[in-house]
């Protein structure tokens, strides 16, 4: 089963793209990360993230090698991908998508061989426009996210695939195509089932 790592600067439309692809492709599940940050309006514990306190996060992190597959501090909060979460989905026969930053992706590469995909904005100017369009970010947060985006974009070359999200439909089609192609490399059908031939 595939482990797919998806990274993008904040505001690139990664969640929108991923939602469309997961709606269309069976056998694909999202790994719910742990985080110490507070839930945003509409976010549900166990669905969007496992929201935990700093002590709980540290206890899982210290339970290596079975704690976190990767963890990182991002924008002042801790995020981590549970080994148990990923393995549970793989045992069920599903391909697992990890929505993680470049620090986390580097850690995952050290432990397993994932398929890595980076989603980039058409330009930094367009990224700034999208961040401001949210109308949920302060000027300081926008400046921080743009600064982080510059650093993250410098890491895009380490990924197996690059998708530039200029048009959401096209970007979603690109991600869908990558997953189907990677399944074919494992001699699996586009829906994830093993390919079978009659004798």
């Amino acid at each position: 089963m595939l482990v797919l790592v998806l990274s993008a600067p904040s505001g690139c439309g990664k969640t929108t793209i991923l939602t469309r692809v997961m709606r269309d492709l069976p056998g694909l599940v999202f790994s719910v990360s742990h985080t110490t940050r507070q839930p945003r309006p509409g976010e549900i514990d166990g669905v969007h993230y496992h929201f935990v306190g700093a002590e709980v996060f540290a206890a899982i992190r210290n339970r290596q090698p079975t704690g976190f597959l990767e963890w990182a501090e991002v924008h002042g909060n801790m995020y981590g991908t549970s080994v148990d979460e990923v393995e549970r989905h793989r045992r069920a026969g599903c391909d697992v998508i990890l929505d993680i930053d470049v620090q986390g992706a580097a850690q995952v590469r050290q432990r397993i061989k994932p398929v890595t995909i980076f989603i980039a904005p058409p330009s930094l100017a367009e990224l700034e426009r999208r961040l401001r369009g949210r109308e949920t970010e302060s000027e300081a947060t926008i400046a921080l996210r743009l600064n982080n985006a510059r650093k993250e974009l410098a890491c895009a070359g380490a990924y197996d695939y690059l998708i530039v999200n200029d048009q959401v439909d096209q970007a979603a089609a690109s991600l869908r195509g990558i997953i189907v192609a990677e399944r074919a490399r494992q001699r699996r059908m586009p829906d994830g089932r093993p390919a079978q031939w009659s004798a």
Side-chain angles (χ1 to χ4, degrees):
M1 296 296 113
L2 298 170
V3 174
L4 301 131
V5 169
L6 196 62
S7 301
S10 181
C12 279
K14 176 178 55 179
T15 302
T16 302
I17 294 166
L18 187 52
T19 300
R20 292 188 185 197
V21 171
M22 292 190 72
R23 181 186 63 210
D24 297 341
L25 277 181
L28 189 63
V29 296
F30 178 75
S31 175
V32 179
S33 299
H34 288 67
T35 184
T36 59
R37 79 159 169 78
Q38 292 299 307
R40 293 178 182 142
E43 288 184 329
I44 301 168
D45 184 43
V47 175
H48 299 95
Y49 287 96
H50 298 293
F51 296 100
V52 297
E55 290 182 6
V56 171
F57 190 97
I60 299 171
R61 183 185 62 205
N62 294 337
R63 201 174 66 223
Q64 293 304 336
T66 61
F68 286 128
L69 182 60
E70 61 80 30
W71 64 273
E73 183 176 349
V74 183
H75 306 308
N77 296 298
M78 305 302 290
Y79 292 82
T81 300
S82 163
V83 171
D84 290 343
E85 175 95 4
V86 172
E87 289 308 313
R88 177 171 57 85
H89 291 310
R90 293 180 80 184
R91 283 193 302 270
C94 297
D95 295 321
V96 186
I97 287 195
L98 310 184
D99 176 359
I100 56 179
D101 75 333
V102 296
Q103 299 173 63
Q107 290 179 51
V108 172
R109 282 192 207 96
Q110 291 174 358
R111 297 186 60 179
I112 63 173
K113 178 99 174 87
V115 176
T116 56
I117 305 153
F118 192 92
I119 298 177
S123 66
L124 283 172
E126 173 60 16
L127 180 61
E128 181 175 358
R129 188 192 69 76
R130 292 177 185 178
L131 288 171
R132 291 188 183 284
R134 289 178 171 181
E135 297 184 353
T136 58
E137 316 282 357
S138 68
E139 284 298 317
T141 301
I142 289 172
L144 176 63
R145 292 196 188 284
L146 288 172
N147 187 51
N148 286 342
R150 290 183 185 91
K151 295 174 185 175
E152 290 164 338
L153 286 164
C155 299
Y159 285 70
D160 298 317
Y161 298 96
L162 172 70
I163 298 171
V164 176
N165 183 17
D166 194 6
Q167 299 289 330
V168 173
D169 289 343
Q170 184 177 353
S174 295
L175 179 57
R176 192 179 302 111
I178 289 166
I179 295 168
V180 169
E182 288 293 335
R183 285 176 169 176
R185 283 166 54 98
Q186 293 185 344
R187 306 303 182 257
R188 293 160 62 205
M189 302 295 285
D191 64 5
R193 291 177 297 119
Q196 297 180 0
W197 298 271
S198 56

